[in-house]
Amino acid sequence: MTAIESVLVENRVFPPSDAAQQGARISGMQAYEALCREAESDFEGFWARLAREHVVWSRPFTRTLDDSRAPFYRWFDDGELNASANCLDKHLGTPVEHKTAIVFESDDGQVSRISYRELLERVARFANALRAQGIEKGDRVVIYMPMTVEGVVAMQACARIGATHSVVFGGFSAKALNERIIDAGAKAVVTANFQMRGGKEMPLKAIVDEAIAMGGCDTLRTVLVYRRTRTACTMVAGRDKTFEEALEGQSSECPPVAVEAEHPLFILYTSGSTGKPKGVQHATGGYLLWAHLTMLWTFDVRPQDVFWCTADIGWITGHTYVAYGPLAAGATQVIFEGVPTWPDAGRFWQMIERHKVSIFYTAPTAIRSLIKAAEADEKVHPARSDLSSLRIVGSVGEPINPEAWMWYWRNVGGERCPVVDTFWQTETGGHVITPLPGATPLVPGSCTLPLPGIAAAVVDETGKDMPHGAGGMLVIKRPWPAMIRTIWNDPERFRKSYFPEEMGGRIYLAGDGAVRSADRGYFRITGRIDDVLNVSGHRLGTMEIESALVAKTDLVAEAAVVGRPDELTGEAVCAFVVLKRPRPSGEEARQIANELRNWVAKEIGPIAKPKDIRFGENLPKTRSGKIMRRLLRSIAKGEAITQDTSTLENPAILEQLSEKN
């Protein structure tokens, strides 16, 4: 697509079809605007109404919002509820009770189905097993699991007894897992012997053992192990139990424990601009409300729908739109263990046909990789599968470029399915800016407008609104129920990270740049404003990767990490490294680069591997010793250096760092 064609695509407008509007919960812009006006005119009344309509309360709340300790906002705080009961028990005695809750397709293509009643019984048994291990309300449980039904069961079981779960993505390293166990003060770890990805067994329990052996996990008492494959793993007597051992004799009834609305439902760690991951803490009541409500608004989910979100439960998308939202909405959902390119790159399209998926939600990185595969081999093109069951397709994790949007709309959505390009974050709990399929005219590459009740804006460094068409920082000016409550064990970092004093200390700073279109006021996300990269929808702190590199003390003296645009992953990690030996070249440089990539994978996880590693005798620094990362970003992008370099102590180093290995 040429630059001119790209501009034309970005300016195309696709109004909602008659089919999308028919029966939609929010049908037409007038209905959307009416909700926005309600939120504006009676902010607390708006949220109170929704919370009473969409959440089952054990004890009704009488206070909607307590902002007396802003930015530590509290919602519905004198009410009580249980998240698991809102996802499972509330369906008892309704047609949903015996409806399929989950269609599970394993890596090797085996399919199993579980009803809401069966899922409730499995959750209750696991909740009783946790209790038998001494897990109580308020305890923390780390979950390090494959993408299977058992992972969702473990999350729901924690919620059922009031334990706070912290799910760690199965691709993270032992060190990353160790840090999270320690920071959360976890009493138990739930894991599996192996996970299956692309026909291969990949260890999980061995990584848990390595993490614990690193020390500091003093609160940990129990490790529960799901036997995903027949391959044996090491079991530590007195600490480790298989699922079979833990579940033996446990009842399939477990009354849900009522917790306060502000009780921490989960902690989910995300990368920040410093090396230490942030434990994002979410409250039960507000989070659950938004998980349910966005299923109804953004996806317009209906009783007959088959919903498929391809995200792993280790990320926030897998929390909100796999483990909680679809179940709260009583939907049938698909859970997939494998990868989209195995046994071939037609897997997603074949599964949509096989399971008659009607709502499909995936990441731009996956879409771009599948575009590439389809262009190379027509046998895996979406046109080879029957996708007529689809009525809505969605995008999540990073901005989707207009070219990928158009391909998705044409080749997957059949030019009839609305594309819901959703913007949100771990910290927001659910969608905050997104089209509504029955209301919003779509523009490729734009996440369009905020949901009702979300006061999003684009501002300058002082919090002053920027005019439409001018870029700035994305903020949300009023609190909302699903927002982050604090950073676990670090309230001061929470305040400084998200509610800067220079903006008044009450406005949420998203950390992303944005611009609003001059004609419609539509939002377009322009990228991170802090030192956080978005690689395939995964947030990675540059400081975290730099710290991992310099931890290779026998080899690395200094390192700086920046991002560069990447056609497939959105952003790629580019590392500039100074070694404790002469600068290598040729084959030696390639070998050392591979050694460092593997080291970073071990320290953080494979997702953090630098795509580019360049070696220099030094880094570009000012005379005061500050690394000029803006110059490194230009080098990483392959741009000519046009910025002023007069303050550099060593300008000649730029030419050296421009050389690729």
Side-chain angles (χ1 to χ4, degrees):
M1 187 174 287
T2 67
I4 292 174
E5 287 173 328
S6 190
V7 169
L8 290 173
V9 164
E10 287 190 64
N11 290 323
R12 285 190 66 179
V13 179
F14 298 81
S17 65
D18 292 342
Q21 288 185 291
Q22 182 104 27
R25 283 182 177 79
I26 301 178
S27 181
M29 287 301 287
Q30 286 185 332
Y32 163 76
E33 288 161 359
L35 283 168
C36 292
R37 284 194 300 272
E38 181 190 353
E40 185 63 32
S41 63
D42 183 10
F43 188 65
E44 291 192 29
F46 170 79
W47 290 114
R49 175 180 70 79
L50 293 171
R52 292 186 177 109
E53 288 177 5
H54 297 284
V55 176
V56 177
W57 297 91
S58 309
R59 185 176 74 193
F61 64 91
T62 63
R63 178 168 55 194
T64 303
L65 170 64
D66 177 3
D67 61 358
S68 61
R69 293 182 58 245
F72 298 95
Y73 298 103
R74 296 172 63 83
W75 287 87
F76 323 119
D77 63 338
D78 61 346
E80 291 185 351
L81 73 160
N82 181 274
S84 177
N86 269 270
C87 293
L88 301 172
D89 304 58
K90 77 174 183 183
H91 301 306
L92 296 179
T94 77
V96 175
E97 178 178 353
H98 300 292
K99 177 182 177 179
T100 298
I102 296 170
V103 178
F104 174 65
E105 181 161 322
S106 64
D107 186 65
D108 64 2
Q110 295 294 310
V111 176
S112 57
R113 290 174 172 80
I114 179 171
S115 72
Y116 272 89
R117 160 60 77 174
E118 292 165 337
L119 182 59
L120 171 58
E121 290 174 354
R122 283 173 66 170
V123 167
R125 285 189 72 207
F126 201 84
N128 286 326
L130 289 173
R131 275 183 164 160
Q133 303 306 313
I135 306 300
E136 301 172 343
K137 175 183 174 182
D139 288 337
R140 274 81 62 202
V141 176
V142 163
I143 298 172
Y144 189 63
M145 287 285 283
M147 190 58 191
T148 58
V149 175
E150 285 73 18
V152 175
V153 166
M155 295 168 75
Q156 285 279 339
C158 288
R160 195 163 192 83
I161 61 174
T164 299
H165 62 68
S166 183
V167 184
V168 179
F169 174 58
F172 275 130
S173 69
K175 183 180 179 186
L177 181 59
N178 168 270
E179 290 170 348
R180 287 155 174 77
I181 292 170
I182 293 170
D183 192 67
K187 201 169 177 179
V189 171
V190 179
T191 189
N193 60 344
F194 291 87
Q195 61 180 334
M196 295 299 300
R197 302 275 290 175
K200 298 176 184 175
E201 277 190 345
M202 303 178 74
L204 288 177
K205 175 57 163 58
I207 295 172
V208 171
D209 291 341
E210 186 183 347
I212 296 169
M214 289 176 176
C217 304
D218 303 331
T219 56
L220 191 64
R221 298 288 177 268
T222 304
V223 178
L224 299 180
V225 184
Y226 167 55
R227 292 198 289 190
R228 171 63 189 88
T229 71
R230 294 183 178 181
T231 306
C233 65
T234 302
M235 299 290 284
V236 177
R239 186 196 72 187
D240 301 350
K241 279 190 171 68
T242 64
F243 273 30
E244 291 92 338
E245 291 168 338
L247 290 168
E248 188 176 358
Q250 298 298 341
S251 169
S252 60
E253 292 186 7
C254 177
V257 173
V259 299
E260 306 80 4
E262 283 297 312
H263 179 78
L265 178 60
F266 64 86
I267 307 162
L268 187 56
Y269 288 87
T270 184
S271 290
S273 54
T274 64
K276 184 183 177 185
K278 297 179 290 190
V280 173
Q281 179 181 320
H282 275 290
T284 303
Y287 171 83
L288 189 71
L289 166 64
W290 203 227
H292 186 189
L293 201 56
T294 49
M295 284 294 300
L296 304 182
W297 284 357
T298 308
F299 298 119
D300 190 35
V301 70
R302 302 175 187 183
Q304 67 273 23
D305 277 319
V306 177
F307 176 81
W308 183 18
C309 169
T310 67
D312 192 280
I313 56 170
W315 308 112
I316 187 64
T317 306
H319 280 54
T320 309
Y321 300 111
V322 176
Y324 289 105
L327 299 177
T332 293
Q333 68 169 316
V334 173
I335 291 181
F336 174 48
E337 179 181 33
V339 294
T341 53
W342 192 85
D344 61 50
R347 183 74 180 262
F348 273 7
W349 322 132
Q350 294 153 15
M351 286 183 61
I352 290 170
E353 176 180 349
R354 186 155 52 246
H355 302 302
K356 299 291 182 265
V357 172
S358 55
I359 304 171
F360 180 63
Y361 192 39
T362 196
T365 298
I367 295 166
R368 286 191 292 266
S369 70
L370 296 173
I371 291 172
K372 191 174 180 181
E375 289 174 347
D377 182 0
E378 65 173 19
K379 293 196 295 294
V380 298
H381 195 282
R384 298 297 291 265
S385 298
D386 179 3
L387 307 183
S388 60
S389 60
L390 287 172
R391 68 179 188 88
I392 294 170
V393 294
S395 171
V396 60
E398 58 184 301
I400 183 170
N401 53 303
E403 297 88 346
W405 192 104
M406 288 297 298
W407 186 92
Y408 195 30
W409 178 72
R410 283 180 179 140
N411 294 285
V412 180
E415 299 189 4
R416 71 183 189 285
C417 298
V419 179
V420 288
D421 176 7
T422 61
F423 171 78
W424 60 298
Q425 303 170 312
T426 303
E427 294 87 347
T428 69
H431 308 144
V432 287
I433 308 176
T434 177
L436 299 173
T440 316
L442 306 173
V443 172
S446 170
C447 51
T448 69
L449 295 169
L451 286 172
I454 303 295
V458 178
V459 302
D460 65 14
E461 292 83 355
T462 65
K464 180 183 175 184
D465 285 333
M466 297 295 289
H468 288 189
M473 294 184 287
L474 180 65
V475 299
I476 302 178
K477 292 188 172 183
R478 300 184 81 167
W480 69 102
M483 68 190 295
I484 178 177
R485 291 305 193 262
T486 188
I487 292 173
W488 184 259
N489 287 334
D490 202 343
E492 192 53 34
R493 186 181 181 194
F494 164 74
R495 189 194 296 270
K496 287 180 178 177
S497 297
Y498 301 110
F499 295 90
E501 284 299 324
E502 54 268 31
M503 291 186 181
R506 297 173 72 97
I507 294 176
Y508 172 80
L509 178 65
D512 282 289
V515 62
R516 300 190 72 172
S517 63
D519 54 352
R520 295 173 177 269
Y522 277 11
F523 285 79
R524 182 167 59 84
I525 308 302
T526 56
R528 297 294 297 178
I529 60 173
D530 54 17
D531 291 325
V532 175
L533 310 182
N534 192 326
V535 181
S536 298
H538 308 319
R539 278 168 55 178
L540 299 169
T542 57
M543 197 67 167
E544 197 174 0
I545 303 170
E546 287 172 11
S547 298
L549 285 165
V550 298
K552 183 74 172 163
T553 54
D554 62 320
L555 192 58
V556 177
E558 199 172 10
V561 169
V562 299
R564 66 162 175 79
D566 185 87
E567 190 179 76
L568 192 62
T569 60
E571 266 191 298
V573 178
C574 187
F576 296 86
V577 177
V578 179
L579 299 176
K580 293 180 176 178
R581 62 175 74 174
R583 177 173 176 259
S585 60
E587 184 58 31
E588 183 190 12
R590 285 188 284 275
Q591 287 177 0
I592 294 174
N594 283 333
E595 183 181 351
L596 293 176
R597 286 189 186 97
N598 292 333
W599 173 262
V600 170
K602 183 175 182 295
E603 290 287 292
I604 301 173
I607 56 171
K609 279 185 178 182
K611 193 162 192 176
D612 302 336
I613 296 183
R614 303 189 187 192
F615 299 105
E617 293 169 0
N618 210 321
L619 297 173
K621 296 179 182 177
T622 63
R623 292 177 181 84
S624 63
K626 182 181 178 182
I627 298 171
M628 296 189 71
R629 282 179 168 78
R630 61 183 172 85
L631 298 177
L632 294 177
R633 290 187 190 98
S634 294
I635 292 171
K637 293 175 186 176
E639 299 172 345
I641 302 294
T642 57
Q643 302 103 311
D644 179 21
T645 60
S646 60
T647 59
L648 277 184
E649 184 181 35
N650 50 353
I653 203 71
L654 298 175
E655 188 175 336
Q656 196 179 84
L657 292 171
S658 297
E659 296 174 16
K660 292 185 178 180
N661 297 315

